[in-house]
């Protein structure tokens, strides 16, 4: 029993252990009382202690003698008036919004809803049953960890190659990872995993959500789970389900150890974060944390009817980013993951929601103002998913300086081009060269564009070229979920086939898309598993499939090895040549009164592409010259960098074409260094003739090399 609680401090918020006791503090503007609840090792509530000290709406107290590892939660008193947005219910145990570790899962069979079921206006009638048995418990964390001089890698975004992956799915089936580590933070940082990532040459892993999240009720009832994790309960606690030992605080050290190991191998860690909504859903959702702490502070409610929530995310609620405490929560979370957990950047899910001050997306909203002036975040990578589901929510190209964006226009254009759609050429030109139409006007650089052709949301690369329709029946929603993609990529056969011609065509399309992605200006993001032909059997919305549909298949095969090798060599080509990852947009300028230009576009006759050809919907062939002679970038040592020139020849037509090659910008000759139609030796180097045949739906890359004189006899 705790004999006495001391006043403690209002800040920092959360539960902070100092070696002799714990300071507890929680913000609630409208509460009339707050009880701190302590739990024993069996999850039984052992003490309930009122916090009587209140400073600027922060309820706080210090308990001497409390050790790290103590389980706790809160009960918050206040008015029950749902019609006016007030939903206080002390019968419901609440997770601390600042909890740094959480143990246990939500039990949907327990009375975790704050209202009584059974009527049309059920949410207006309070339920006074205790929810504690069904709510996860917070854990007091020991902050000590030996980082062994770990420091941020600070890899320039322009030089980055991002690998989007899932902590569990990546290693869960890898036989080279020790069995007890598979599917965990330690599994992702195991020697076998590191070998694969380093072989690919990626510079950063972008982890799908690792903030503690909740399995949705309807999924649990179907025997499914929220595999992706976009259902956050806590913005400070790493998900315990990915800890190799147990989730009673060990997940914090496990996450730190993973980051330290990846950093040691030169790989950064970017987190996919979901600050736009929480796991509590709409007005009929469970009461787990924010709703019971102070509903009107944390959530956007309808101005004329605060019983209901604004929903810009399609999940039932939206965080009230207009409120200073919510802004503080997000900023405190970001700073915590940078300073205490050593992560290198963030990808913000549905980021347009964070920019909404009133209704419209506002580029100068409070969120951006605060994040731009924060010195802790000055050197981290900030990547937006620049859309939400609300009106006016598609904001590709409209985020401020310092931000990069998932370039959805890149994905759509490159897919359409290689599928053979009409009218893609002019837009493709922008996408191949860094999307200057989106980012140049506001002072950003090509690396503001995070290029991708596939991501976790949608078909995998293999399925993109193998299926025409989604096959989501395993999600138990009658195949009604997921985007209604109709790509016609399946080469006439839906799904697996033994036809060698179709297999060759699909493999070639994979290589076309991967080569386009890695060799485009901007930052390539590879969807994890695409490099080994990962399939979800046509499921384009596998958010609830924590099974072999989503998990990576590490079974060795010659086909996988070939594709992995292809991606690794592509990334190495990009890394070796600054001309393929420029830090500035192409100027198309004349240098030294000569005809040398940064960039030029050609048709199959070796002539510069005419305005008519750019706008002709039926043209599907394109030559792109990247002039290395004009690169003239300054490196970190002050040296002027020049590079080889490249000629990319793209043919999305189903028949072969012959390109008449333009002259080299320098005094060398063209060498073909990549042919996506050659599956066995795609990087075989050959001296190019004056005319080059490009097979249907394939891509060639030529590089200028010096003329080698014949040996003296």
């Amino acid at each position: 029993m705790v004999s006495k609680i001391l006043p403690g401090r209002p800040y920092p918020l959360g539960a902070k252990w100092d070696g002799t006791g714990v300071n507890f503090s929680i913000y609630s503007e409208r509460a009339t009382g707050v009880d701190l609840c302590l739990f024993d090792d069996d999850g039984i509530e052992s003490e309930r202690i009122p916090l009587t000290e209140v400073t600027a709406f922060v309820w706080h107290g210090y308990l001497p003698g409390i050790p790290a590892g103590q389980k706790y939660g809160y009960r918050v008193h206040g008015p029950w008036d749902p019609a006016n947005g007030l939903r206080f219910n002390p019968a419901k145990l609440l997770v601390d919004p600042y909890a740094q570790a959480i143990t246990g899962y939500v039990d949907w069979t327990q009375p975790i809803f704050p209202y009584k079921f059974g009527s049309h206006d059920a949410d207006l009638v309070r339920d006074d049953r205790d929810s504690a048995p069904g709510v996860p418990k917070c854990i007091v964390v020991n902050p000590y960890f030996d980082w062994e001089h770990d420091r941020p890698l600070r890899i320039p975004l322009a030089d980055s190659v991002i690998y989007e992956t899932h902590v569990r799915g990546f290693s869960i089936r890898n036989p080279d990872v020790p069995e007890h580590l598979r599917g965990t933070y330690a599994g992702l940082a195991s020697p076998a995993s590191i070998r694969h990532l380093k072989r690919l040459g990626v510079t950063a892993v972008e982890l799908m959500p690792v903030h503690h999240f909740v399995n949705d009720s309807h999924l649990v009832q179907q025997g499914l789970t929220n595999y992706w994790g976009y259902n956050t309960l806590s913005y400070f606690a790493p998900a315990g389900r990915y800890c190799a030992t147990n989730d009673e605080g060990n997940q914090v050290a496990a996450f730190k150890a993973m980051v330290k190991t990846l950093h040691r191998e030169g790989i950064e860690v970017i987190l996919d974060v979901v600050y736009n909504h929480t796991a509590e859903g709409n007005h009929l959702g469970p009461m787990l944390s924010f709703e019971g702490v102070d509903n009107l502070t944390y959530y956007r409610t309808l101005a004329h009817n605060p019983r209901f929530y604004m929903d810009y995310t399609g999940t039932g609620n939206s965080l009230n980013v207009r409120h200073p405490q919510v802004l503080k929560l997000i900023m405190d979370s970001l700073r915590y993951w940078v300073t205490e957990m050593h992560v290198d950047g963030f990808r913000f899910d549905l980021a347009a929601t964070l920019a909404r001050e009133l209704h419209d997306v506002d580029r100068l909203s409070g969120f951006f103002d605060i994040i731009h002036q924060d010195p802790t975040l000055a050197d981290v990578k900030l990547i937006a998913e620049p859309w939400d589901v609300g009106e006016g929510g598609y904001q590709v190209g409209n985020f401020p300086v310092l931000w990069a964006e998932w370039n959805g226009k890149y994905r759509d254009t490159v897919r359409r081009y290689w599928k053979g759609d009409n009218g893609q050429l002019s837009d493709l030109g922008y996408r191949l060269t860094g999307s200057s139409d989106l980012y140049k006007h506001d002072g950003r650089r090509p690396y503001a564009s995070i290029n991708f052709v596939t991501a976790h949301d949608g078909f995998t690369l293999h399925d993109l070229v193998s299926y025409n329709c989604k096959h989501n029946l395993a999600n138990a929603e009658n195949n009604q979920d997921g985007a209604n993609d109709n790509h016609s990529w399946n080469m006439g056969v839906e799904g697996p086939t033994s036809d060698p011609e179709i297999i060759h065509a699909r493999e070639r399309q994979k290589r076309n898309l991967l080569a386009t992605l890695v060799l485009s200006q901007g930052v390539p993001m590879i969807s994890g598993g695409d490099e080994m032909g990962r399939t979800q059997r046509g499921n384009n919305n596998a958010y609830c499939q924590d099974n072999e549909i989503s998990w990576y298949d590490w079974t060795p095969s010659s086909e996988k090895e070939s594709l992995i090798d292809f991606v690794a060599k592509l990334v190495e080509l990009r890394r070796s040549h600054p001309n393929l990852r420029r830090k500035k947009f192409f100027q198309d300028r004349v240098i030294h009164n000569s005809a040398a230009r940064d960039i030029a576009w050609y048709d199959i006759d070796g002539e510069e592409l005419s305005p008519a050809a750019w706008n002709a919907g039926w043209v599907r062939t394109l030559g792109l010259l990247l002039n290395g002679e004009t690169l003239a970038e300054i490196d970190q040592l002050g040296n002027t960098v020049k590079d080889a020139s490249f000629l990319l020849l793209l043919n999305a037509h189903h028949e072969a074409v012959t390109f008449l090659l333009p002259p080299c910008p320098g005094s060398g000759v063209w060498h073909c260094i990549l042919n996506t139609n050659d599956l066995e030796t795609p990087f075989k180097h050959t001296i190019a003739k004056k005319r080059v045949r490009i097979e249907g739906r394939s891509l060639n890359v030529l590089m200028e090399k010096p003329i080698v004189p014949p040996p003296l006899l």
Side-chain angles (χ1 to χ4, degrees), residues 101-117:
I102 295 173
T103 182
Y105 294 86
V106 171
D107 184 347
W108 294 95
T109 66
Q110 295 291 328
I112 60 176
F113 294 83
Y115 60 88
K116 292 182 178 180
F117 292 99

Side-chain angles (χ1 to χ4, degrees), residues 544-564:
C544 55
Q545 299 298 327
D546 187 5
N547 50 50
E548 293 184 359
I549 291 176
S550 296
W551 299 341
Y552 296 23
D553 181 3
W554 294 89
T555 306
S557 70
S558 58
E559 292 81 7
K560 287 180 184 176
E561 182 65 22
S562 174
L563 193 57
I564 292 170

Side-chain angles (χ1 to χ4, degrees), residues 163-164 200 410-411 414-416 418-419 452-468 485 487-491 495 502-503 505-518 525-540 549-550 552 559-560 562-564 566-567 570 676:
Y163 184 84
E164 186 198 29
L200 292 179
Y410 180 95
R411 171 200 59 203
V414 170
R415 284 185 176 192
R416 289 166 183 159
W418 282 113
K419 184 162 68 76
F452 66 105
V453 291
T454 56
H456 68 272
D457 190 1
F459 285 124
T460 66
L461 180 66
H462 178 85
D463 292 355
L464 182 67
V465 303
S466 303
Y467 292 88
N468 186 40
D485 293 331
H487 296 289
S488 300
W489 289 76
N490 62 359
M491 312 300 171
I502 295 177
I503 292 173
R506 292 177 177 178
E507 292 299 316
R508 183 178 59 213
Q509 281 286 55
K510 290 182 196 176
R511 287 158 175 77
N512 289 337
L513 289 160
L514 288 166
T516 305
L517 171 65
V518 175
M525 185 187 77
I526 299 168
S527 182
D530 279 353
E531 78 280 5
M532 61 178 76
R534 185 172 74 89
T535 178
Q536 293 178 169
R537 306 171 195 167
N539 191 322
N540 74 349
I549 291 176
S550 296
Y552 296 23
E559 292 81 7
K560 287 180 184 176
S562 174
L563 193 57
I564 292 170
F566 181 83
V567 174
L570 269 179
T676 59

Side-chain angles (χ1 to χ4, degrees), residues 145 147-155 188-189 194 197-198 202-205 207 255-271 337-345 379-381:
F145 181 80
W147 281 103
E148 298 181 292
H149 308 293
D150 179 74
R151 293 291 184 271
L153 297 176
R154 293 193 174 94
I155 297 171
L188 181 60
I194 295 290
L197 295 172
K198 289 181 71 68
V202 299
T203 67
V205 288
L207 303 182
F255 183 91
K256 291 177 178 179
M258 175 194 70
V259 173
K260 183 172 72 172
T261 302
L262 289 168
H263 280 182
R264 188 180 297 140
E265 300 294 337
I267 300 172
E268 294 185 319
V269 177
I270 299 171
L271 299 188
W337 286 96
V338 171
T339 59
E340 298 296 325
M341 309 296 264
H342 287 208
V343 304
D344 304 281
D379 291 331
V380 305
K381 294 173 173 65

